[in-house]
Every structure is written in structure tokens, then in C-alpha cells.
Amino acid sequence: MISERLPVAPRTSGLQAEAAFKEWMRRFVTGAAELRAFEADEIDAVLDPVTGTAVLLPKAQAALQDSNRLVLGVLDRLPAQICVIDARGTVLIANRAWQSFIAAHAGAGLGIGEGANFLAACKSTGPSERMRAEAVAAAVLRVLAGEGGPVSCDYVCHSHGVHCTFTLGVVGITGDGPAHALVTRENVTEHKRAGEPRGSVRTRARRIAAVAQAGIANRVLATVPTKQYERLLSGLEPVCVTYGDVLYEPGEAMRYVYFPSDCLISLLTVVDGHRAVEVGLVGREGMVGARLALGTGASPVRALVQGTGTALRMSSTRFLREFRRSPVLQRAVFRFIDALMIQVTQTAACNRFHEVEARLARWLLMTQERLSSAEFYLTHEFLADMLGVRRAGVTSAAGALKRKKLIRYKRGSIAILDQQGLEAACCSCYRVVQVMDLEAAA
Amino acid sequence: MIVVMRLYVAGRAPNSLKAIANLESICRRHLKDRYELEIVDVCEHPHRAAAAGILLTPSLTKMSPAPTSTVIGNLSDTSTLLAALGIHAGSVE
């Protein structure tokens, strides 16, 4: 595809045709020095004065084709997923890593092949990905217009049965001709899952200071006496988790436990491999990975970050060691597990018996309490997954709450306007869960 | 005095690569750090070649100091190149 951008000389075959071609090009050459260089075979290209393009001589053309093949071969051998997009958004080159990902994941994560239009793919993503896809498309357009430098954006994919986080890099390739964009895609799901702040270096002192500060916010850790907490500090690490990150998938070994400080984690039960419904919500009142305390190492649910924020993370091995030696931590963890079980069973009953509007009100109040914020970002599709209903059901329920002036809903951003009114609108399950939360915290 | 040059090439075509290697060798030997060289790929920037009246590639133009001069070909003829750059043959600076 690189060769497409080079002017293609008339097709030649054999020495005779090559000589004829040279003779044709010779007509453009005037002057003694020019003729000498031309006759000595020292010329690679002649500028066609009519079209203003450089026409390559046969040997140069063959050499550049070899060079292009080499470049494509090198691109194919790179582990990074790379594609080149032309000014209209068409994918001109997609390297082997890019194509392998498409084959393995059925086009998830803007996975389109050569000849398809990248910008169109950004527009046709599902609602849960649309805002990020639009941001990627905007970055590509800016780069193609020569208005922006290299851009890097995170892209969370929850479609086609794939739950991955990518970092998409966009950089412009400019020349006299139309601009092109080079897009790289790196699967950073593992980094994100591990919560690793890539590329950042923290000193131990700063880390411990951050941990000490964040630990107070988490109610499970807050119950641990100061002396024991000081011992825990060396095993705790502050991590930033982002909306859409997956901490565990069902059946996956839990490598870390997480104590949310100001983030919110949804626990989702996955049915038929792709449909998911929320069964629990964990914020700073609890922890993710508490099942380890019951002697099970694998997660039964998907732990999905609902609200961006920070958490303290500890390796599972260390957690189990600390858990065994601290009766206080044991009590705190068991109290949380008990509260979570109540929440899970109540949610199951609620999903079966209560109206979507009341469930939505309950869910919004629970989210608000755990995030300590009256405004948060959620799409209808995401809410539909959380409540186990169709998207239309969420739209209708959100519309009803909005008409009662209990919430404001605009472009995915939800704000609670009337706390008491929303409490009145929600089902009895909210009170049950709230009482259990308070008891667990006591 | 700084010698300012522009070399027009056609990507990584054989004569273009030779011209770059030959010119850099001469510059290292005779001009050390007293030169500025811009390499223009005519496949990427055909308009720049057209604007400068460059018909054949590779072509080297010396823009300063005056007088300006042009050498066409892969620059394997050292004496022609030195004369065009205003460097006396045999002088190693």
C-alpha cells in the first residue's frame, strides 16, 4: 500500500520494454549534464512537468517496491498492532498483529481491516463505547488535518464478548500529498486489571503516605487498629482505576484484593457468555476479592469499575497472611461479606419483583452513597446492564424520574436533584441494604 | 562559512542512497560541521522539486555561499562535486 503513494511508471517487462520506457522518459531530459547522468544510469526519477509528479525509472521502481515489501515485512513482525489510515479514514495498511486481533476478537475494539473505514467504524460502535470512539475519531481527524500532534487515548471495549482496555495512539504522517494517520493499538487490559500506573515511579515514602491517607477512607481498613494498620501499609499500594476497567473476570484467579477509597466497583454475574446483570455494588464501605477469606481463589463475578477513582490494592497472598493473623481484620471482612450477601440476595429479589423506576432510584442512591458524589457518568446501556433490563426500560424509567425533577440526565451525566424524593421513589430494598451497610460499619 | 545544500532524492532508490552516502562522505571529510544539508524526497514532496525547477533525481543544489550550483546524478564523481561546492580538490579541512 505504501507504493500506492508513489507514481507508477508504465508497466514494463523485459529489457526491450525497459529501454523503450527509458527512451520515453528521455524526452523530458535536456541539457548536457542531465543527459550525461541519465545515460550513466545515475537517475532514479524524472519529474513530469505536466502532472507535477515524480516518475520512477524501472530500476528505482523495482528497488522501491522491494523496500516497500521490506517495510511491510517489518511492520508484520512487530508485536504492536499498527494500521495506516488515509485522509478519508480508509485503512490502507494493517499489520499482522492488527489483523490477528481482528480475527481473534471478531472486530471488537475498532478492529477493522484493510479497505474498511476507520472513522465509520468509530461511528457505528455501541452506546457503551460511543463516547470513547468519538474521541478517537476526533483525534484521528485532528491529526489528519495537521492540527494535532501525537495523541494517546484509552479505549474500553465491552462488545462482541470482549472486555478489554486498549491504548490507541494516533500520529500524523505528512508530506506534500494528503496526510495519513498511523494508529497503534496496545492491549493494556492486564496492566489496567493489575491497576499498574504504567510509566510512573513512586518513592516508597510517597507511596506509604498516599496509602495512609487513602486507607482512612476505606471502612474495612479503618476498623484495623493503628499498629496493625502500620504493618498492613507495606503490603498496600494505591492504584487508580478507570470507569470500564475490569478487575476480575468470572472464573479468573484473584491476584489482588482491592479496598476502594473513592471508586465504585460493580459485581456482575455473566449469563450465556455475554449478558450481564449487576448483583452487587462495592465502594469504600467494603472490598473486592473478599471471597479469598472464605478459602476460594477464583472470582465468581466480573468486577467492573463503575466510578473512576482510587483504591488500595494488596496481593492475595499477603492478604491471606494478614487475614489469618488479625482477628480484627477477620471481623471486618466477615461483616462486609455478610452485608454483601444481603445486598446480593436483596438485589436478586428486587430484580424479580420491583418496577424498573424504583430499582433505578435505589441503584442511583446506592451509587451516590458509595461515590460520595451527587453527580456521575452513566449511559443508558450501562444502566440497562446494571439493572438487567432493556435499554428502552431504562430510558423510560430515567425519563419518569426526570419529569418528577428527582434527577437531571444529560449526555450520560446523572445528577441527583432531590435526595428525599428519590428515597421515596425507590423500593423497600434500599432501606434493607442501607440498614445492613450501617450495621456492617458499626 | 556555512555551505547550505539541498539534496533531492527518490525515497530509498539506489542512486538516491548512493548520492546521500557520497555527499555525506565528502562533507565529513571537507566541511566537518560547516554545512547544512536538507534531504527532500520528491516522492513525498514533488511540489518542492517542481518549485525549485528540479527535473531529475537525485540532484544536489548548493544554495550558499554564492554562486549557486547544481549537480545531477549519484554524486560519484568527486571532482565535479567538490568543484560545485567550491572546495579545492585535495584539501582536507
Side-chain angles (χ1 to χ4, degrees), chain A residues 232 235-236 248 253-259 287 289 292-293 296-297 313-325 329:
Chain A
L232 290 181
L236 287 166
Y248 314 132
M254 297 179 283
R255 289 166 58 208
Y256 296 95
V257 295
Y258 297 83
F259 300 93
M287 63 179 289
L292 279 168
T296 314
R313 149 184 114 159
M314 182 181 270
S315 77
S316 301
T317 322
R318 176 72 184 265
F319 170 73
L320 283 174
R321 201 163 64 231
E322 296 296 342
F323 180 77
R324 284 188 198 110
R325 64 190 284 196
L329 183 61

Side-chain angles (χ1 to χ4, degrees), chain A residues 28 41-42 44-45 47 176, chain B residues 15-16 44-45 47 55 57 74:
Chain A
F28 297 106
D41 251 347
E42 287 188 19
D44 289 328
L47 195 77
D176 267 7
Chain B
N15 284 306
S16 298
E44 291 282 328
H45 306 281
H47 296 96
L55 187 67
T57 307
N74 62 20

Side-chain angles (χ1 to χ4, degrees), chain A residues 26 63 81 97 107 111 129 199 207 213 217 221 230 243 257 264 279 310 312 322 329 342 344 355 376 390 418 424 431:
Chain A
R26 198 175 178 282
Q81 300 175 37
E129 291 175 31
R207 184 171 71 83
Q213 202 173 12
L221 291 176
E230 280 169 6
Y243 169 73
V257 295
L264 186 65
V279 292
T310 54
L312 292 177
E322 296 296 342
L329 183 61
I342 299 286
V344 169
E355 295 297 324
F376 29 88
R390 287 174 191 277
D418 180 352
R431 289 267 168 250

